[in-house]
């Protein structure tokens, strides 16, 4: 546009000059000004268009764009399932069911299918069918889900109760479901439901499952291949209008459907979750195509069971105190989810983190009213207001002041950080110069960087340490600009947020593909462990390199400061210190190295020796390594 105006002005000035002073000789004809090149139109972004249509309530446009994305070869299965959920709400159950069935068939055709995922796919098809008024289809899919639970988890597994409760609440043919699921009769299915609910409600069962090192044993004497975790929660989501049934005078609540995406009064409760043992610590599935934030598929890792809604905050506090009384460390781990997260997804993620971090105390989840939809970024962001911040502020204050925990760590992910910083700002005003928490971790915060900086400056007295995990490879935060249209994000380390009381960790080097939006659950997990377990400062974590940025320091993960400090050795060192204590860790590592060497396992001996060097490098072990390692 500037070139056009400049050329036009030049031609106009030439004309004026020619009129004022006629030339003695005919002037040469000036060549025409070059036409400005038209800037190419930006490519269409169907996801953003769909988000705009949803925000505007344009149903017809949403359906049109959803079908266009369904037909796009670049759309992967996870995106298509998101679209299927949207189409089911918009009145197209046929496409929704066909999409879920295709995902089921693809999973079932694998050499080793994930049966927990098959269960949830079948259950979801049952829900879509019943919402469309198709009882026969709902009965069929629920029966297949019951069969999968019975065959692979056992009739006594807590996943059975919500399926059978769904069938009874919606007047499905329980006899047909029982026969399909291998339970033979409707009466037997009803008995299994009651037994499952009663078992899941047993506090003794929680205690047995939570005992470290003690395998959970099923009724038939077979050791279970999962651990049970009790996740406490607080939420200002309003309950959804779903049908429920009563068993033994109390409703059976399905955590996958109980809460909605609209705001309501602050409620508390707990959910029992089973976490498989045959998985890698810190394992997080990665998406295959770029989306703003991947839709979690925690069904590959954890399965939801019984849920309790507490009558008031006093009950919540008493239940958390009881859980802490069963522990040695009396610690509380709080997780606040990000955008595109349903209540159930966040519960499952909290259970997984609690297990991987070996939390010895209470795992607590805080859930704000995310729509749980890939296309609801603007709807999710609209939930961030003073009322929401006040709810989280009060919840955190209750945990800090009334549970008598010895240690409290608070972790927020993605958009959840915006709720957290607003709540912490209020706490800093209400409780000036008072320490309420041990560790506060801001993971990949989807918060405007300047706003984040201005607020965090006041948080220093609230906690022992404030840690920010950021990455220049966080594609989700880069994509958030498609929705926000402006502002760098605090979780982007390209121009890092550096403050005196904030430890900024750049995880770009350990982002292992995908979106780079969940590094603390993947490549940065060993460093994350060291913070939550031992409160090690950045200069005590040899995985981190030091990077000067003006008068401030950024710590770079993936640039270890010693030749013996790799992620596996570091994780071994901090895990040993966590499990046997800092005082005994050097002796234990020395003994393990000697034992591995005597067994001829050079690789394992090298690992133990590297871990020992890390402990010695730290200089925090209370005992000198003995000259002769104990046998």
């Amino acid at each position: 546009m500037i070139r056009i105006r400049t050329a036009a002005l030049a031609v106009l000035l030439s004309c004026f000059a020619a009129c004022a002073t006629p030339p003695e000789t005919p002037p040469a004809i000036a060549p025409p000004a070059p036409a400005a090149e038209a800037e190419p139109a930006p490519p269409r972004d169907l996801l953003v268009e769909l988000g705009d249509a949803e925000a505007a309530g344009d149903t017809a446009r949403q359906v049109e764009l959803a079908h266009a994305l369904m037909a796009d070869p670049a759309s992967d299965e996870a995106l298509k399932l998101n679209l299927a959920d949207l189409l089911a709400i918009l009145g197209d159950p046929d496409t929704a069911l066909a999409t879920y069935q295709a995902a089921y068939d693809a999973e079932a055709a694998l050499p080793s299918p994930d049966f927990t995922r098959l269960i949830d796919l079948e259950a979801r098809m049952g829900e879509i069918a019943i919402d469309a008024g198709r009882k026969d289809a709902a009965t069929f899919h629920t029966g297949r889900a019951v069969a999968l639970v019975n065959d692979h988890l056992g009739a006594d597994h807590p996943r059975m109760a919500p399926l059978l409760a769904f069938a009874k609440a919606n007047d499905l043919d329980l006899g047909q479901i029982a026969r399909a699921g291998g339970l033979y009769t409707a009466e037997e299915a009803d008995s299994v439901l009651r037994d499952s609910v009663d078992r899941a409600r047993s506090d003794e069962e929680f205690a047995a499952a939570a005992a470290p090192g003690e395998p959970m044993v099923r009724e038939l004497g077979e050791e279970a291949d999962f651990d049970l975790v009790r996740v406490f929660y607080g939420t200002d989501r309003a309950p959804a209008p779903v049908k429920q049934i009563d068993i033994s005078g109390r409703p059976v609540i399905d955590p996958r459907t109980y809460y909605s995406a609209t705001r309501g009064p602050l409620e508390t409760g707990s959910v029992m979750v089973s976490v498989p043992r045959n998985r890698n610590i810190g394992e997080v599935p990665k998406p295959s195509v770029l989306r703003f934030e991947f839709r979690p598929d925690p069904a590959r890792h954890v399965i939801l069971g019984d849920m309790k809604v507490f009558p008031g905050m006093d009950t919540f506090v008493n239940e958390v105190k009881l859980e802490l009384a069963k522990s040695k460390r009396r610690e509380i781990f709080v997780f606040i989810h990000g955008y595109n997260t349903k209540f159930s997804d966040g519960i499952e993620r909290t259970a997984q983190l609690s297990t991987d971090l070996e939390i010895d105390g209470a795992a607590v989840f805080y859930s704000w009213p995310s729509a749980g939809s890939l296309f609801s970024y603007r709807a999710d962001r609209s939930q961030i207001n003073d009322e929401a911040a006040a709810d989280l502020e009060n919840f955190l204050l209750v945990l800090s002041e009334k549970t008598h925990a010895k240690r409290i760590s608070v972790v927020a992910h993605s958009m959840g950080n915006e709720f957290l910083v607003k709540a912490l700002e209020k706490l800093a005003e209400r409780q000036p110069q008072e320490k309420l928490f041990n560790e506060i971790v801001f993971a990949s915060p989807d918060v405007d960087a300047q706003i984040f900086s201005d607020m965090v400056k006041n948080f220093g007295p609230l906690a022992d340490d404030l840690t920010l995990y950021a990455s220049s490879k966080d594609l989700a935060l880069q994509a958030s600009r498609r929705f926000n249209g402006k502002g760098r994000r605090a979780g982007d380390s390209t121009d890092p947020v550096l403050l005196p009381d904030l430890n900024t960790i750049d995880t770009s080097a350990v982002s292992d593909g995908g979106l780079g939006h969940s590094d603390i659950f993947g490549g940065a997990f060993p460093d994350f462990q060291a913070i939550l377990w031992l409160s090690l400062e950045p200069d005590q974590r040899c995985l981190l390199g030091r990077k000067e940025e003006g008068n401030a320091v950024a710590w770079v993960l993936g640039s270890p400061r010693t030749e013996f400090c790799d992620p596996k050795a570091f994780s071994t060192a901090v895990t040993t210190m966590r499990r046997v204590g800092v005082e005994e860790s050097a002796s234990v590592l020395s003994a393990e190295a000697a034992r591995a060497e005597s067994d001829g396992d050079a690789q394992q001996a090298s690992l133990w020796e590297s871990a020992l060097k890390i402990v010695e490098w730290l200089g925090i072990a209370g005992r000198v390594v003995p000259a002769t390692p104990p046998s």
Side-chain angles (χ1 to χ4, degrees):
M1 182 63 71
I2 293 174
R3 290 199 300 270
I4 294 173
R5 290 175 178 173
T6 302
L9 183 60
V11 171
L12 186 62
L13 289 174
S14 298
C15 292
F16 286 159
C19 294
T21 310
E24 297 179 357
T25 58
I29 299 176
E37 296 182 3
E39 295 184 4
R44 290 184 65 189
D45 192 326
L46 296 182
L47 283 180
V48 173
E49 289 184 33
L50 183 53
D52 290 341
E54 184 183 48
D58 189 340
T59 301
R61 182 65 173 154
Q62 289 180 69
V63 172
E64 176 190 348
L65 290 166
H67 281 285
L69 281 164
M70 279 281 194
D72 188 344
S75 297
D76 71 349
E77 183 181 272
L79 176 56
K80 289 181 179 179
L81 292 179
N82 270 285
L83 294 165
D85 289 336
L86 179 63
L87 288 171
I89 295 171
L90 297 176
D92 186 1
D94 292 330
T95 302
L97 288 170
T99 303
Y100 268 91
Q101 187 62 57
Y104 180 96
D105 294 341
E107 184 69 43
L110 296 176
S112 299
D114 183 345
F115 59 85
T116 60
R117 183 164 187 256
L118 294 177
I119 292 168
D120 281 357
L121 289 171
E122 285 287 12
R124 180 63 187 133
M125 284 189 276
E127 293 165 357
I128 293 172
I130 202 65
D131 288 342
R134 303 177 183 180
K135 279 194 175 183
D136 289 345
T139 299
F140 171 76
H141 290 296
T142 305
R144 285 177 47 162
V146 167
L148 286 165
V149 173
N150 198 27
D151 292 344
H152 297 284
L153 301 177
D156 58 333
H157 189 276
R159 184 66 178 93
M160 183 69 83
L163 289 171
L164 295 178
F166 170 79
K168 293 196 69 173
N170 290 284
D171 298 320
L172 302 185
D173 189 333
L174 198 58
Q176 182 178 336
I177 290 172
R179 290 189 294 274
L183 302 177
Y184 306 113
T185 66
E187 289 74 17
E188 183 179 358
D190 193 70
S191 176
V192 167
L193 172 59
R194 291 180 178 277
D195 290 346
S196 179
V197 170
D198 290 341
R199 187 182 301 108
R201 290 172 176 173
S202 169
D203 289 335
E204 289 75 15
E205 188 78 8
F206 282 119
E214 294 293 329
M216 180 181 172
V217 179
R218 288 171 49 184
E219 285 186 352
L220 300 180
E222 176 187 353
E223 181 182 332
D225 57 356
F226 56 86
D227 296 305
L228 286 179
V229 179
R230 188 180 189 183
V231 176
F232 295 91
Y233 71 84
T235 185
D236 53 3
R237 292 174 182 262
V242 295
K243 296 180 181 178
Q244 295 176 356
I245 62 167
D246 288 345
I247 297 292
S248 303
R250 208 184 82 191
V252 177
I253 303 173
D254 186 348
R256 296 180 309 113
T257 59
Y258 183 76
Y259 284 111
S260 70
T262 58
R263 187 174 301 283
L266 181 64
E267 288 191 349
T268 60
S270 68
V271 181
M272 185 174 69
V273 188
S274 70
V275 182
R277 293 174 176 171
N278 56 340
R279 61 186 179 82
N280 296 324
I281 288 180
E283 184 179 43
V284 177
K286 298 293 184 182
S288 59
V289 299
L290 172 63
R291 299 186 300 281
F292 176 71
E293 177 169 317
F294 69 87
R295 179 187 187 209
D297 186 15
R300 292 182 179 274
H301 306 279
V302 294
I303 302 173
L304 297 176
D306 184 63
M307 175 174 166
K308 296 179 181 177
V309 179
F310 297 147
M313 190 61 75
D314 289 342
T315 303
F316 170 77
V317 171
N318 290 335
E319 292 290 330
V320 170
K321 283 182 176 179
L322 288 173
E323 196 75 9
L324 293 176
K326 296 184 291 187
S327 66
K328 294 180 180 179
R329 291 187 171 89
R330 297 181 61 85
E331 61 189 0
I332 291 177
F333 168 74
V334 184
F335 179 67
I336 304 165
H337 67 81
Y339 146 77
N340 182 23
T341 304
K342 295 179 181 178
F343 175 81
S344 56
D345 293 338
I347 287 284
E348 292 169 329
R349 173 65 79 188
T350 306
Q352 178 196 343
L353 287 171
S354 174
T355 301
D356 290 349
L357 291 167
E358 301 178 10
I359 297 301
D360 183 23
V364 179
F365 170 58
Y366 188 83
S367 182
W368 49 275
S370 167
S373 168
L374 179 66
F375 322 110
S376 298
Y377 182 85
R378 289 188 176 84
D380 279 6
R381 185 157 287 285
S382 70
Q383 296 288 347
I384 304 170
N385 53 41
D386 291 341
E387 181 184 359
D391 286 339
L392 178 55
E393 173 199 358
N394 293 332
F395 183 75
L396 292 174
L397 199 59
V398 165
L399 290 174
S400 173
E401 294 187 339
K402 296 188 177 181
T403 61
H404 306 305
K406 290 183 178 179
R407 182 176 179 84
I408 301 178
S409 299
V410 182
V411 180
H413 182 234
S414 189
M415 194 185 289
N417 281 277
E418 188 132 8
F419 291 88
L420 179 60
V421 293
K422 284 182 175 293
L424 293 178
E425 183 180 41
K426 297 295 184 182
L427 284 174
E429 295 173 357
R430 183 195 290 194
Q431 314 281 123
Q433 305 304 313
E434 183 175 347
K435 192 189 82 170
L436 302 178
F437 313 105
N438 297 92
E439 303 294 334
I440 296 177
V441 177
F442 308 102
S444 308
D446 184 11
V447 185
D448 180 273
Q450 188 58 56
I451 294 174
F452 182 84
S453 299
D454 293 342
M455 295 174 117
V456 172
K457 289 175 183 177
N458 303 318
F459 297 167
L462 289 176
D464 289 331
D465 287 297
L466 305 174
T467 302
L468 165 64
Y469 281 102
S471 172
S472 62
K473 296 181 180 179
D474 192 328
L475 301 181
L477 292 184
Q478 294 173 24
S480 76
R481 295 187 181 183
R482 293 153 57 182
F483 294 90
N484 288 304
K486 61 179 181 179
R488 68 183 178 94
R489 316 312 285 168
D492 185 351
S493 65
T494 304
D495 182 10
V497 173
L498 300 175
L499 299 170
D501 292 327
L502 179 69
N503 297 323
T504 298
I505 315 298
D506 185 347
T507 64
S508 304
V510 300
S511 293
D512 51 354
L515 296 180
H517 195 49
S518 301
D519 289 342
I520 64 162
F521 311 139
F525 192 73
D527 189 70
F528 185 45
Q529 287 175 310
I531 294 174
L532 263 64
W533 284 353
L534 304 169
S535 291
L536 295 183
E537 295 297 331
D539 59 358
Q540 295 177 302
R541 309 198 303 265
C542 57
L543 285 176
L544 301 176
R546 183 184 177 95
K547 182 180 179 182
E548 301 290 339
E549 295 277 354
N551 296 325
V553 176
W555 298 93
V556 181
L557 194 56
S559 301
R561 300 200 300 285
T562 71
E563 73 280 358
F564 49 79
C565 189
D566 63 73
K568 191 171 183 180
F570 185 78
S571 182
T572 301
V574 297
T575 300
T576 303
M577 287 188 281
R578 163 79 170 184
R579 291 178 178 175
V580 306
V582 173
E583 296 287 328
E584 301 291 338
S585 57
S587 295
V588 170
L589 289 168
S590 178
E592 291 297 333
R595 182 178 295 110
E597 188 173 354
S598 67
D599 292 341
D601 190 344
Q603 184 176 4
Q604 193 64 25
S606 177
L607 174 63
W608 290 113
E609 289 168 359
S610 294
L612 175 60
K613 289 179 181 178
I614 291 170
V615 172
E616 293 173 332
W617 177 84
L618 280 169
I620 61 176
R623 297 186 178 184
V624 178
V625 179
T628 303
S631 59

